[in-house]
Amino acid sequence: MKPAGFLCNIDNLGRILIPAPIRKTFEINGGDTFEVFTDEDGIMLKKYSPVCIFCGSADNITSFKGKMVCEKCIKKLSALAED
Ligand SMILES: [Zn+2]
């Protein structure tokens, strides 16, 4: 990671404002979800985009018992259940 050239303050509720140019660059909109990563150097936020646990696809993802599964894999699993 490299410095982005911005300083941000955190408020008393733990909220930070991500600068508009950063939001624009990374196509961040209100309501987006982020995954939080930490290491000895600090904290990293990464826009959360769920992928299928079986094939890694990000298309037509559904949550099933807390796991993300795509429509194609659901169909394949359904076919297995019918055999
Ligand atoms: Zn899949």
Side-chain angles (χ1 to χ4, degrees), residues 52 54-57 69-70 72-73:
C52 175
F54 295 111
C55 71
S57 170
V69 186
C70 77
K72 285 182 182 174
C73 287

Side-chain angles (χ1 to χ4, degrees), residues 50-65:
V51 295
C52 175
I53 60 165
F54 295 111
C55 71
S57 170
D59 297 331
N60 299 314
I61 301 295
T62 302
S63 176
F64 178 73
K65 296 194 175 187

Side-chain angles (χ1 to χ4, degrees), residues 19-45:
I22 301 289
R23 296 197 309 266
K24 187 174 180 184
T25 299
F26 290 92
E27 299 178 0
I28 295 167
N29 298 299
D32 284 351
T33 301
F34 286 82
E35 198 166 4
V36 181
F37 297 86
T38 63
D39 66 14
E40 63 277 359
D41 293 327
I43 302 165
M44 184 177 81
L45 299 175

